[in-house]
C-alpha cells in the first residue's frame, strides 16, 4: 500500500527473445564517463513501456485472479531469459476479508556469488478495488502505474544486466500482495499489517539464509507524466546517504524536475518492512503529489490508472538514474 502514516513506526522490439538478441547493442552501451572510463548502459524507455503494456494486457493482477496467474508466469519466464537464478517464493496467506491465498514473490539474482550486493524491489500485484474512484469502486483496477511501472523498470534493468554485468551483485525482488490491504470503512474487523504481505513474508523469510545487501531501492508509481519524487521521510531516516546519492545523480543527469530535494510524509510501503525486518537500509522512490487529497498520483486506486497514465520520459528518468548509480558502484 501507499498509505500516509503519522507515526514512525511497439515500436516493436524482440523482447521475448534471449537478452543477447533483443536490441541493437549500439543503443545499449553508449554513456561513457570520460574521467572514470565506466560505460553506463542506456535505459530504453520504449522497452520499459512495452513491459507495462504486457502486464496491463493480463488485466487486473490481484491475488488469485486470472490476470495474476498469467502475469506471474510471464514474469518468471521473462526473468529466466536474463538469468538462471530465479526463485519464486510461495507462501500461504490470509487477507483482511478472510480469504486464503498463496502469494508469490519473484526473485532474480545477478552474480549471486558476489557478497557486495544491492537489492532492487517493486510490487507486481494490483489493487482489487477502486476505492478512490467515484464509480465502480468494487471493481479491480489495471494498475499500469501502481504496480506495473516499477516492475517494468526492473525488467528493463534485468535485460541490460544480462547484456552488460555490473561490477556488483544485484537482486531484483517483485513483491506480491502489496496492494491487497484493508480499505477505509471496511465491514471486516480491523486487521493489523494488512498491506505489504509479500514484503512482510520475505523480510521474515529471506530467499537466502543470512541474506544481506548493502542497501535497497524500492520503486513504486514511477511512470506517470511529470511525476515528482520527494525525500520520503522513512527513506530519509533509514538511508539518508542513499537517498541523497540517488537524487544527486538524478539532478546531474538533468532530471531535477523529478527528483525533488524536499521531504514528504512517511509512507507505509514495502520498504518499511525491509528496513525494520532485515536491517537493510532501503529507500522508496515513489511519486508524491501535494495537490491531491491523498498526496499520490491523481489516478491512484482508480480506473484511471491505465496506459494513459504512463509517460516514457519519467520511466527514462528513473531507469537511467539507477543505471548511473549501479554501474558506478
Amino acid at each position: 500500500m501507499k498509505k500516509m502514516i503519522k507515526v514512525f513506526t511497439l515500436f516493436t522490439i524482440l523482447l521475448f527473445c534471449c537478452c543477447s538478441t533483443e536490441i541493437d547493442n549500439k543503443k545499449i552501451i553508449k554513456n561513457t564517463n570520460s574521467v572514470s572510463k565506466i560505460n553506463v548502459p542506456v535505459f530504453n524507455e520504449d522497452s520499459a513501456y512495452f513491459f507495462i503494456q504486457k502486464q496491463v494486457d493480463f488485466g487486473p493482477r490481484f491475488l488469485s485472479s486470472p490476470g495474476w496467474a498469467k502475469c506471474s508466469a510471464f514474469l518468471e519466464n521473462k526473468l529466466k531469459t536474463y538469468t538462471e537464478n530465479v526463485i519464486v517464493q510461495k507462501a500461504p496467506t490470509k487477507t483482511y476479508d478472510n480469504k486464503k491465498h498463496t502469494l508469490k514473490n519473484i526473485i532474480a539474482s545477478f552474480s549471486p556469488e558476489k557478497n557486495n550486493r544491492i537489492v532492487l524491489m517493486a510490487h507486481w500485484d494490483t489493487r482489487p478495488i477502486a476505492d478512490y474512484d467515484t464509480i465502480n469502486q468494487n471493481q479491480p483496477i489495471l494498475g499500469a502505474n501502481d504496480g506495473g511501472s516499477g516492475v517494468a523498470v526492473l525488467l528493463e534493468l534485468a535485460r541490460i544486466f544480462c547484456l552488460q554485468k555490473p561490477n556488483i551483485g544485484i537482486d531484483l525482488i517483485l513483491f506480491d500482495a502489496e496492494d491487497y490491504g484493508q480499505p477505509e470503512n471496511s465491514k471486516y474487523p480491523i486487521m493489523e499489517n494488512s498491506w505489504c504481505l509479500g514484503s512482510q513474508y520475505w523480510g521474515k523469510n529471506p530467499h537466502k539464509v543470512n541474506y544481506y545487501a548493502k542497501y535497497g531501492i524500492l520503486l513504486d508509481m514511477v511512470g506517470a507524466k511529470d511525476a515528482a519524487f520527494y525525500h520520503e521521510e522513512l527513506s530519509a531516516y533509514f538511508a539518508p546517504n542513499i537517498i541523497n546519492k540517488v537524487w544527486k545523480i538524478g539532478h546531474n543527469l538533468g532530471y531535477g524536475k523529478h527528483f525533488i530535494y524536499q521531504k514528504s510524509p512517511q509512507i507505509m510501503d514495502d520498504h518499511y518492512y525491509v528496513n525494520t525486518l532485515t536491517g537493510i537500509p532501503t529507500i522508496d522512490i515513489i511519486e508524491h503529489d501535494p495537490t491531491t487529497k491523498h498526496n499520490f498520483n491523481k489516478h491512484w486506486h482508480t480506473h484511471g490508472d491505465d496506459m494513459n497514465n504512463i509517460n516514457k520520459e519519467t520511466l527514462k528518468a528513473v531507469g537511467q538514474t539507477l543505471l548511473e548509480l549501479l554501474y558506478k558502484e
Side-chain angles (χ1 to χ4, degrees):
M1 176 193 188
K2 281 62 63 180
K3 180 180 180 182
M4 294 294 176
I5 56 175
K6 296 182 179 179
V7 297
F8 173 77
T9 357
L10 101 235
F11 114 36
T12 302
I13 53 178
L14 301 180
L15 287 168
F16 298 100
C17 301
C18 179
C19 63
S20 60
T21 62
E22 287 188 333
I23 196 164
D24 186 353
N25 285 340
K26 292 180 181 178
K27 194 172 182 181
I28 293 290
I29 306 170
K30 275 293 182 181
N31 287 2
T32 304
N33 186 304
S34 60
V35 177
S36 62
K37 306 298 182 183
I38 296 174
N39 291 327
V40 177
V42 172
F43 185 86
N44 190 318
E45 62 273 29
D46 293 307
S47 175
Y49 184 90
F50 180 90
F51 282 135
I52 300 176
Q53 182 70 70
K54 184 64 178 178
Q55 295 172 81
V56 169
D57 286 345
F58 292 122
R61 302 170 301 284
F62 59 94
L63 274 171
S64 303
S65 67
W68 172 88
K70 293 175 183 178
C71 189
S72 66
F74 163 73
L75 294 173
E76 178 183 357
N77 292 331
K78 176 53 62 178
L79 286 170
K80 284 181 177 177
T81 68
Y82 303 141
T83 174
E84 61 183 11
N85 305 296
V86 176
I87 297 172
V88 178
Q89 186 184 54
K90 300 180 182 180
T93 190
K94 181 185 287 188
T95 48
Y96 71 90
D97 50 8
N98 294 319
K99 294 181 180 180
K100 294 181 179 180
H101 308 270
T102 298
L103 65 79
K104 294 182 180 180
N105 292 328
I106 304 170
I107 305 161
S109 297
F110 295 83
S111 301
E113 74 284 355
K114 293 182 178 179
N115 292 324
N116 186 20
R117 312 195 64 73
I118 293 172
V119 58
L120 307 175
M121 299 155 281
H123 75 90
W124 70 273
D125 67 308
T126 56
R127 186 77 170 138
I129 56 176
D131 42 345
Y132 274 82
D133 212 323
T134 56
I135 59 171
N136 300 323
Q137 290 184 320
N138 292 324
Q139 297 299 312
I141 68 171
L142 287 173
N145 188 32
D146 190 3
S149 63
V151 171
V153 170
L154 294 190
L155 286 178
E156 174 59 7
L157 293 182
R159 188 186 67 82
I160 293 172
F161 297 157
C162 178
L163 290 166
Q164 182 181 334
K165 288 185 178 181
N167 292 322
I168 55 175
I170 295 177
D171 300 293
L172 306 182
I173 304 181
L174 307 183
F175 289 126
D176 196 2
E178 187 265 7
D179 239 342
Y180 205 124
Q182 188 166 12
E184 298 177 11
N185 303 317
S186 171
K187 65 180 181 180
Y188 296 95
I190 296 176
M191 176 181 173
E192 295 294 333
N193 301 312
S194 66
W195 300 83
C196 306
L197 301 180
S199 57
Q200 287 187 63
Y201 181 82
W202 178 82
K204 298 172 184 176
N205 306 274
H207 63 286
K208 187 176 181 181
V209 177
N210 297 322
Y211 176 80
Y212 192 76
K214 185 177 178 183
Y215 60 85
I217 298 176
L218 174 67
L219 305 181
D220 202 343
M221 294 192 289
V222 293
K225 183 179 180 181
D226 297 326
F229 310 115
Y230 287 61
H231 283 202
E232 184 271 334
E233 194 170 359
L234 286 177
S235 303
Y237 177 84
F238 284 111
N241 57 324
I242 303 304
I243 202 169
N244 286 326
K245 188 174 184 179
V246 172
W247 263 241
K248 182 178 179 180
I249 291 172
H251 274 257
N252 288 342
L253 290 176
Y255 302 126
K257 75 172 185 178
H258 295 289
F259 292 92
I260 309 300
Y261 280 107
Q262 295 181 39
K263 277 192 176 182
S264 60
Q266 302 174 23
I267 305 298
M268 181 60 71
D269 206 350
D270 287 318
H271 72 309
Y272 171 79
Y273 294 103
V274 175
N275 275 300
T276 57
L277 294 175
T278 72
I280 298 171
T282 300
I283 68 169
D284 192 2
I285 300 179
I286 182 171
E287 180 177 355
H288 174 74
D289 186 347
T291 68
T292 64
K293 180 179 178 180
H294 41 63
N295 290 158
F296 294 127
N297 178 265
K298 62 183 180 180
H299 297 300
W300 178 69
H301 290 184
T302 74
H303 297 293
D305 191 5
D306 55 20
M307 291 305 295
N308 293 321
N309 194 28
I310 299 301
N311 178 264
K312 292 181 181 179
E313 193 275 337
T314 304
L315 296 172
K316 174 75 171 183
V318 175
Q320 196 61 57
T321 296
L322 290 178
L323 286 176
E324 193 78 10
L325 169 76
L326 298 168
Y327 280 85
K328 291 184 178 180
E329 279 288 349

